[in-house]
Amino acid sequence: MAYSDKVIDHYNEPRNVGSLDKNDENVGTGMVGAPECGDVMKLQIKVENDVIVDAKFKTFGCGSAIASSSLATEWLKGKPIDEGLNIRNTDIVEELSLPPVKIHCSVLAEDAIKAAINDYKQKAANIESAAD
Amino acid sequence: MTAMTTDENYFHLFGLFPSYEIDLEALDAAYERLSLEHHPDFFANAGTEEKARSERMSAELNEGYRVLRSESERSAYLLDLLKAERELDSTQLPDGFLHEMFALQEEVDELAENGNGARAEELKAQAEQRLQAVQAERSALFANVQNGAAAEVLQQIQSNLNCEKYLTRLLGRLA
C-alpha cells in the first residue's frame, strides 16, 4: 500500500513537533493511544483569549498517525477553541487520502484534539472555581 | 467425514474445550490429523463442491491453528467468545499506562541519538519484564473467568491485552 504524497510530506517534514509545558495553565494536553497497533500520540495546545495560539505534537506510530497529528496541529493553530472541536477525523482522511485500514489513525488524531481541548477547559474551570 | 461448519469456534474445530489453558500436544495432533483428512491434494479428482469444501476447511484449520497456538491470539479470541453480545471498552488501559509508554518511547528516541547501548539493554529487560507480568496477570484473570467471574473481569482482560500491544510495539523498537 502506498502512502499519499501529503502523508509523505507530513511524515518527512512533520509540522509542530515538540512539547509545551503541561503545567502551564494555558496549555491543554491530550494523550491517546491505539491498542490495535500500539501507537501513542501526545497533542498539546496553548490557548490565549479562547484562541489556540500554538499546537505541538509527538507521535510514536506509523506514517499515517504522524501525518494525521501533524495536520491536526496545523489546522488547530489560530482557531477559536470551540472550532477546534469541529475537526472531524473524516476531514483528515479526506485531506490525506488515507486508505480504510488507516482510518483509525485519523480517529486517534481527533481523539487527541478533543482530549487536549477538554484538558484545557478542565484546567480553566478549576482556576475559575478556585478564584470564587 | 466429520461435518463442520464455520459457525463453530476454533476450539471445537480441534476437539478442544474453549479455555485459556489448552493441551498444546492435543492441538498439534488434531491439526495434523484434520489437515491430512481435508488436504486438497486428496480431492483433486472430487466434485466441485467437495473440492471447495476441502479448500475451505484447510484454510480454516490453518487459521485456527495459528490463533490457538499463540497465547495472546488465543486470549483475544477466547475473550471475544466469552464476551458474546456484551460491549467492552476496547481502548481501556490502567491509569498512567499511556504516559509511561510515552515516556519510555521518548527515552528510546534519545537512545537512538546518543547510542547508549547499556541503557538500551536495561530498557529492553524492563519492558520484557513488564510483558511477562502482563501475561501472568492474564492467566490469573482467565482463571477467574473459568470460576464464573463477572463482566468486569472480561474488561480487565481486554485492558490487559491492550497493554501487551503497547509493550510489544515498544520492544519492537528495542530489538
Side-chain angles (χ1 to χ4, degrees):
Chain A
M1 176 198 52
Y3 281 125
S4 71
D5 289 346
K6 279 182 181 161
V7 170
I8 291 168
D9 177 38
H10 277 279
Y11 181 75
N12 286 335
E13 283 176 61
R15 330 295 199 253
N16 312 310
V17 174
S19 53
L20 302 167
D21 177 10
K22 69 173 167 35
N23 297 318
D24 183 335
E25 60 187 42
N26 295 317
V27 170
T29 302
M31 178 82 81
V32 295
E36 300 94 331
C37 48
D39 285 2
V40 193
M41 183 182 286
K42 184 172 84 171
L43 191 149
Q44 294 180 299
I45 52 165
K46 186 172 182 148
V47 182
E48 276 169 22
N49 301 320
D50 286 337
V51 172
I52 298 168
V53 292
D54 200 6
K56 297 268 184 217
F57 85 96
K58 185 145 192 194
T59 294
F60 297 100
C62 66
S64 301
I66 290 167
S68 295
S69 35
S70 170
L71 177 67
T73 56
E74 256 191 341
W75 279 353
L76 284 170
K77 274 188 175 184
K79 265 200 171 58
I81 187 160
D82 285 322
E83 271 182 39
L85 286 171
N86 292 335
I87 296 174
R88 289 284 162 271
N89 84 291
T90 45
D91 304 332
I92 297 170
V93 169
E94 198 176 324
E95 175 69 16
L96 297 175
S97 313
L98 295 180
V101 292
K102 292 292 180 184
I103 285 174
H104 71 272
C105 301
S106 67
V107 174
L108 199 59
E110 185 187 322
D111 288 348
I113 293 170
K114 285 188 182 136
I117 292 177
N118 288 334
D119 182 55
Y120 167 76
K121 285 189 165 179
Q122 188 65 48
K123 266 188 188 175
N126 287 345
I127 290 163
E128 214 168 284
S129 65
D132 285 343
Chain B
M1 187 175 296
T2 41
M4 270 182 271
T5 57
T6 45
D7 58 341
E8 272 192 75
N9 68 54
Y10 288 151
F11 293 95
H12 291 152
L13 184 64
F14 294 103
L16 299 165
F17 182 77
S19 66
Y20 172 74
E21 304 279 358
I22 57 168
D23 183 343
L24 290 174
E25 278 179 28
L27 172 64
D28 289 348
Y31 173 65
E32 211 167 294
R33 178 175 55 77
L34 291 164
S35 296
L36 200 61
E37 189 181 324
H38 295 280
H39 202 288
D41 282 1
F42 301 130
F43 296 86
N45 300 317
T48 330
E49 211 175 295
E50 238 185 316
K51 223 171 168 168
R53 191 170 57 202
S54 134
E55 279 163 16
R56 206 170 51 237
M57 270 303 298
S58 298
E60 209 169 310
L61 286 166
N62 288 336
E63 178 62 9
Y65 181 70
R66 190 187 65 76
V67 168
L68 295 190
R69 205 62 176 80
S70 144
E71 186 268 345
S72 63
E73 296 228 19
R74 181 170 71 244
S75 299
Y77 184 75
L78 181 60
L79 178 63
D80 209 46
L81 291 180
L82 291 170
K83 82 177 171 76
E85 302 301 312
R86 269 176 289 212
E87 290 277 340
L88 299 179
D89 178 351
S90 63
T91 60
Q92 199 189 81
L93 290 166
D95 284 347
F97 185 84
L98 262 189
H99 285 85
E100 188 193 344
M101 286 302 112
F102 189 87
L104 288 170
Q105 292 273 15
E106 272 196 316
E107 197 174 346
V108 176
D109 266 8
E110 283 161 25
L111 288 174
E113 276 164 31
N114 62 30
N116 184 340
R119 179 63 190 143
E121 283 306 311
E122 228 173 82
L123 267 185
K124 194 176 163 191
Q126 194 186 329
E128 275 167 353
Q129 235 171 38
R130 283 296 301 271
L131 190 60
Q132 278 169 15
V134 163
Q135 284 164 351
E137 186 202 22
R138 183 153 68 229
S139 168
L141 286 169
F142 269 116
N144 277 341
V145 172
Q146 310 295 8
N147 299 329
E152 70 190 44
V153 180
L154 298 180
Q155 181 62 63
Q156 284 169 355
I157 295 172
Q158 176 70 66
S159 166
N160 171 287
L161 284 163
N162 292 345
C163 289
E164 178 166 293
K165 291 272 172 57
Y166 291 96
L167 285 165
T168 309
R169 183 64 179 267
L170 180 70
L171 276 165
R173 293 190 67 203
L174 287 162

